[in-house]
């Protein structure tokens, strides 16, 4: 099949190289913008079920879940939480 396509492309070796790159790009674009969006709802990637210890989905009986405390941790954070461009810190020695 590829030999047939190579023989049918015009304009010598340079034209055949450019034509084959364009055909490959068209095939990738067709898959990316048409085939994959069409097939995505048919695939099971988003079909997720989360169950608690009771085995029943959506059971809110607690099931050994821990509730986070309202007070923040006393751990030292090595970066600033107030600015995006905090200056670098030197390690404590």
């Amino acid at each position: 099949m590829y030999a047939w396509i190579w023989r049918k492309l015009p304009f010598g070796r340079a034209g055949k190289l450019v034509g084959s790159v364009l055909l490959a790009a068209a095939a990738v674009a067709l898959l990316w913008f048409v085939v994959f969006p069409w097939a995505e709802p048919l695939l099971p990637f988003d079909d997720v079920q989360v169950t608690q210890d009771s085995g029943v989905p959506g059971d809110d009986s607690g099931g050994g879940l821990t509730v986070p405390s309202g007070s923040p941790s006393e751990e030292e954070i090595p970066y600033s939480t107030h600015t995006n461009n905090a200056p670098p810190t030197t390690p404590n020695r």
Side-chain angles (χ1 to χ4, degrees), residues 2 5-6 9-10 12-30:
Y2 298 115
I5 293 172
W6 185 258
L9 288 173
R13 183 175 297 255
K16 291 180 184 213
L17 288 173
V18 169
S20 60
V21 167
L22 289 176
L23 283 174
V28 168
L30 179 71

Side-chain angles (χ1 to χ4, degrees), residues 4 9 28 51-52 75:
W4 180 85
L9 288 173
V28 168
T51 60
Q52 302 295 329
E75 298 176 13

Side-chain angles (χ1 to χ4, degrees), residues 7 12 15 23 25-26 28 30 32 37 39-40 43-45 51-52 58 60 62 74 82 85-86 90-91:
R7 283 192 308 269
L23 283 174
V28 168
L30 179 71
W32 191 270
E40 183 182 11
L43 299 175
F45 296 130
T51 60
Q52 302 295 329
D60 291 335
E74 296 299 325
H82 302 291
N85 54 356
T90 58

